Amino acid sequence: MMDSAEKNSVPEEGQNTYVIDSENAGELARLMHQDQMLTRGMGGLLPEFPEGAPLPEGGRVLDLACGPGGWALELAFAYPKVEVIGVDISQAVIEYARAQAWSRGLQNAHFQVMNVMQPLAFPDATFDLVNGRLLLGFMLPGAWPKLLAECRRLLKPGGVIRLTEAELPLSTSPALERLHALFCEALKKAGQSFSADGRQVGITPVLPKLVRQAGFREVKLRASAVEWSMGTEAHYAVFKDYLMGLELGQPFLIKMGIATQEELRLLSQQALAEMQQEEFCGLYSLLTVWGYAPQD
């Protein structure tokens, strides 16, 4: 008999594996906020390429699971001679991203509804860069090789795959650490974790190898650290993300039978209080992995 991880290793057609409901209006607001926070914390749109991004004039970029389009819109603004296409499973966020592109006059930014865990409706060798950030919110372990193979198909020879993932932040809040532990346990139970024991998300140690196994070359890593201790510039931004995320994530934990609604309510209240204490310390670490499609 297969356990839950094996059964969920590859998604079924139409299966929604989002930890937080992607159609929730509150999630749209949280993702808009998170987009800006991440780009700022990582040092820019493409900080891995200080001597110039791998974006030729007339080039094309694909942003996977783009959400409300924050990164894609900013890239389209910064590179007006590059076409940027964002795809996401949620009709609501795609409509929002399209409205933002129209209101800002970004004629080189386009958005389409697609599920990145299924084959994407683009011809071979279409893109110079394929980007993805925090796909851990819905990706299943068994779906990663399939997605990376699709990215390799879509990239031009020498094109770049660029993926940014994270483990859960570290902090001095006992309540927040307990909530993180429950979340990791729920991911493991749902079959959406790479962790050996369910104590982490487990994506960052395996991501470089997954990219190499997909046939990408010259695979490199760049770590980013966002300190969000009380009194730092990033504190309120990450706190606001949690203010929304702790409530939005509760249905997933309840569904997985990890805790009751009342237990989660009390833990969340305590965590929010502890995050606002003068002595609070927190660190959010992200890992960007990039590599190149073969030239031959």
Side-chain angles (χ1 to χ4, degrees), residues 50-118:
E51 297 179 1
L55 298 176
E57 185 173 321
R60 303 183 82 191
V61 176
L62 176 64
D63 192 21
L64 302 168
C66 65
W71 184 88
L73 291 164
E74 291 302 319
L75 193 78
F77 178 79
Y79 296 90
K81 296 183 179 179
V82 169
E83 182 181 13
V84 183
I85 300 175
V87 298
D88 197 278
I89 196 173
S90 169
Q91 181 72 43
V93 300
I94 288 297
E95 289 176 359
Y96 176 86
R98 286 172 177 167
Q100 288 295 303
W102 178 84
S103 67
R104 296 173 62 176
L106 296 173
Q107 296 184 6
N108 60 327
H110 307 283
F111 298 92
Q112 300 181 38
V113 177
M114 291 187 195
N115 182 354
V116 304
M117 288 198 290
Q118 300 296 333

Side-chain angles (χ1 to χ4, degrees), residues 9-10 13 23 36 44 48 55 60 63 73 87 111 124 132 151 163 197 215-216 218 229 240 244 248 264 272 289:
S9 61
V10 179
E13 185 76 35
E23 300 294 333
Q36 296 175 355
E48 303 80 29
L55 298 176
R60 303 183 82 191
D63 192 21
L73 291 164
V87 298
F111 298 92
D124 294 0
C151 291
L163 301 169
D197 56 10
F216 292 97
E218 300 178 54
S229 304
K240 186 177 178 181
M244 296 180 279
L248 291 166
L264 294 172
L272 292 172
V289 178

Side-chain angles (χ1 to χ4, degrees), residues 63-219:
D63 192 21
L64 302 168
C66 65
W71 184 88
L73 291 164
E74 291 302 319
L75 193 78
F77 178 79
Y79 296 90
K81 296 183 179 179
V82 169
E83 182 181 13
V84 183
I85 300 175
V87 298
D88 197 278
I89 196 173
S90 169
Q91 181 72 43
V93 300
I94 288 297
E95 289 176 359
Y96 176 86
R98 286 172 177 167
Q100 288 295 303
W102 178 84
S103 67
R104 296 173 62 176
L106 296 173
Q107 296 184 6
N108 60 327
H110 307 283
F111 298 92
Q112 300 181 38
V113 177
M114 291 187 195
N115 182 354
V116 304
M117 288 198 290
Q118 300 296 333
L120 298 174
F122 299 108
D124 294 0
T126 296
F127 297 99
D128 298 276
L129 172 68
V130 175
N131 180 72
R133 290 204 310 199
L134 298 189
L135 306 185
L136 61 90
F138 64 89
M139 282 293 289
L140 305 179
W144 278 99
K146 183 178 178 181
L147 173 61
L148 289 167
E150 185 71 349
C151 291
R152 181 171 169 182
R153 179 186 74 80
L154 294 174
L155 280 166
K156 299 174 185 177
V160 176
I161 177 78
R162 176 184 184 264
L163 301 169
T164 300
E165 295 295 336
E167 300 299 317
L168 295 179
L170 298 171
S171 81
T172 56
S173 163
L176 185 57
E177 292 301 300
R178 176 59 182 155
L179 285 165
H180 285 167
L182 293 174
F183 183 74
C184 289
E185 183 183 345
L187 282 177
K188 185 69 174 176
K189 191 173 181 180
Q192 292 182 231
S193 169
F194 278 101
S195 175
D197 56 10
R199 293 198 292 175
Q200 292 91 26
V201 177
I203 178 60
T204 54
V206 303
L207 187 59
K209 187 171 185 179
L210 286 170
V211 174
R212 288 194 298 270
Q213 287 177 333
F216 292 97
R217 300 176 179 175
E218 300 178 54
V219 176

